[in-house]
Coordinates of all heavy atoms in Angstrom, one line a residue:
K3 N 47.2 29.9 59.9 CA 47.0 30.9 58.9 C 47.7 32.2 59.4 O 47.9 32.5 60.5 CB 45.5 31.2 58.8 CG 44.7 30.1 58.3 CD 43.2 30.3 58.4 CE 42.6 30.1 59.8 NZ 42.7 28.8 60.4
V4 N 48.2 32.9 58.3 CA 48.7 34.3 58.5 C 47.9 35.2 57.7 O 47.7 34.9 56.5 CB 50.2 34.3 58.1 CG1 50.8 35.8 58.3 CG2 51.1 33.4 59.0
V5 N 47.4 36.3 58.2 CA 46.8 37.3 57.5 C 47.7 38.6 57.4 O 48.2 39.0 58.4 CB 45.4 37.7 58.1 CG1 44.8 38.9 57.4 CG2 44.5 36.5 58.2
F6 N 47.8 39.0 56.1 CA 48.6 40.2 55.9 C 47.6 41.4 55.6 O 46.9 41.4 54.6 CB 49.5 40.0 54.6 CG 50.5 39.0 54.8 CD1 50.3 37.6 54.6 CD2 51.8 39.3 55.2 CE1 51.2 36.7 54.8 CE2 52.8 38.4 55.4 CZ 52.5 37.0 55.2
S7 N 47.7 42.4 56.5 CA 46.8 43.5 56.4 C 47.3 44.7 57.3 O 47.7 44.5 58.4 CB 45.4 43.1 56.9 OG 44.5 44.2 56.9
S8 N 47.1 45.9 56.7 CA 47.5 47.0 57.5 C 46.2 47.7 58.1 O 46.3 48.6 58.9 CB 48.2 48.1 56.6 OG 47.4 48.4 55.5
T9 N 45.0 47.1 57.8 CA 43.8 47.7 58.3 C 43.0 46.8 59.2 O 42.2 47.2 60.0 CB 42.8 48.1 57.1 OG1 42.6 46.9 56.3 CG2 43.5 49.2 56.2
T10 N 43.3 45.5 59.2 CA 42.6 44.5 60.1 C 43.3 44.6 61.4 O 44.5 44.7 61.5 CB 42.8 43.1 59.5 OG1 42.1 43.0 58.2 CG2 42.1 42.1 60.4
S11 N 42.5 44.6 62.5 CA 43.1 44.7 63.9 C 43.2 43.4 64.6 O 44.0 43.2 65.5 CB 42.4 45.8 64.6 OG 41.1 45.5 64.7
T12 N 42.2 42.5 64.3 CA 42.2 41.2 65.1 C 41.9 40.1 64.1 O 41.2 40.2 63.1 CB 41.1 41.2 66.2 OG1 39.8 41.4 65.6 CG2 41.4 42.3 67.2
V13 N 42.4 38.9 64.5 CA 42.2 37.7 63.8 C 42.0 36.6 64.8 O 42.4 36.7 66.0 CB 43.3 37.3 62.8 CG1 43.5 38.4 61.7 CG2 44.7 37.2 63.5
D14 N 41.4 35.5 64.4 CA 41.1 34.4 65.2 C 41.2 33.1 64.5 O 41.6 33.1 63.3 CB 39.7 34.6 65.8 CG 39.5 33.9 67.1 OD1 40.4 33.0 67.5 OD2 38.5 34.1 67.8
W15 N 40.9 32.0 65.1 CA 40.9 30.7 64.4 C 42.3 30.2 63.9 O 42.5 30.0 62.8 CB 39.9 30.6 63.3 CG 38.6 31.1 63.7 CD1 37.7 30.4 64.6 CD2 37.9 32.3 63.4 NE1 36.6 31.2 64.8 CE2 36.7 32.4 64.1 CE3 38.3 33.4 62.6 CZ2 35.8 33.4 64.0 CZ3 37.4 34.5 62.6 CH2 36.2 34.5 63.3
N16 N 43.2 30.2 64.9 CA 44.6 29.7 64.6 C 45.3 30.6 63.6 O 45.9 30.1 62.6 CB 44.5 28.2 64.1 CG 45.9 27.5 64.3 OD1 46.7 27.9 65.1 ND2 46.0 26.4 63.6
T17 N 45.2 31.9 63.7 CA 45.7 32.9 62.8 C 46.5 33.9 63.5 O 46.3 34.3 64.6 CB 44.5 33.5 62.1 OG1 43.6 32.6 61.6 CG2 44.9 34.5 61.0
R18 N 47.6 34.4 62.7 CA 48.5 35.4 63.1 C 48.3 36.6 62.2 O 48.2 36.3 61.0 CB 49.9 34.9 63.2 CG 50.9 35.9 63.6 CD 52.3 35.2 63.8 NE 52.9 34.6 62.6 CZ 53.6 35.2 61.7 NH1 53.9 36.5 62.0 NH2 54.1 34.6 60.7
L19 N 48.4 37.8 62.7 CA 48.3 39.0 61.8 C 49.7 39.6 61.6 O 50.5 39.7 62.6 CB 47.4 40.0 62.5 CG 47.2 41.4 61.8 CD1 46.5 41.2 60.5 CD2 46.4 42.3 62.7
V20 N 49.9 39.9 60.3 CA 51.2 40.6 60.0 C 50.8 41.9 59.3 O 50.0 41.9 58.4 CB 52.0 39.8 59.0 CG1 53.2 40.6 58.5 CG2 52.5 38.5 59.6
T21 N 51.3 43.0 59.9 CA 51.0 44.3 59.4 C 52.2 44.9 58.6 O 52.0 46.0 58.0 CB 50.6 45.3 60.5 OG1 51.6 45.3 61.5 CG2 49.3 44.8 61.2
G22 N 53.4 44.3 58.7 CA 54.5 44.8 58.0 C 54.6 44.4 56.6 O 53.6 43.9 56.0
D23 N 55.8 44.4 56.0 CA 56.1 44.1 54.6 C 55.8 42.6 54.3 O 56.5 41.7 54.9 CB 57.5 44.5 54.2 CG 57.8 44.2 52.8 OD1 57.2 44.8 51.9 OD2 58.6 43.3 52.5
A24 N 54.9 42.4 53.4 CA 54.5 41.0 53.2 C 55.6 40.2 52.5 O 55.9 39.0 52.9 CB 53.3 41.0 52.3
V25 N 56.3 40.8 51.6 CA 57.4 40.0 50.9 C 58.5 39.6 51.8 O 59.0 38.5 51.8 CB 57.9 40.9 49.7 CG1 59.2 40.2 49.1 CG2 56.9 41.0 48.6
T26 N 58.8 40.5 52.7 CA 59.9 40.2 53.7 C 59.4 39.0 54.6 O 60.2 38.1 54.9 CB 60.2 41.4 54.6 OG1 60.7 42.5 53.8 CG2 61.2 41.1 55.7
E27 N 58.2 39.0 55.1 CA 57.7 38.0 55.9 C 57.5 36.6 55.2 O 57.8 35.6 55.7 CB 56.3 38.4 56.6 CG 55.7 37.3 57.5 CD 56.6 37.0 58.7 OE1 57.6 37.7 59.0 OE2 56.2 36.0 59.4
I28 N 57.0 36.7 53.9 CA 56.9 35.5 53.1 C 58.2 34.9 52.9 O 58.4 33.6 52.9 CB 56.1 35.7 51.8 CG1 54.6 36.2 52.2 CG2 56.1 34.5 50.9 CD1 53.9 36.7 51.0

């Protein structure tokens, strides 16, 4: 999983956090 958020600081359960531009990363 990938979570896109500028306010979430931690994720778990096979997940990566993206805080930058979602369209660019997608």
Side-chain angles (χ1 to χ4, degrees):
K3 297 170 281 297
V4 175
V5 173
F6 294 84
S7 175
S8 60
T9 58
T10 301
S11 58
T12 59
V13 293
D14 205 345
W15 308 290
N16 202 19
T17 306
R18 179 172 64 90
L19 178 64
V20 172
T21 58
D23 181 66
V25 169
T26 300
E27 180 63 8
I28 295 168

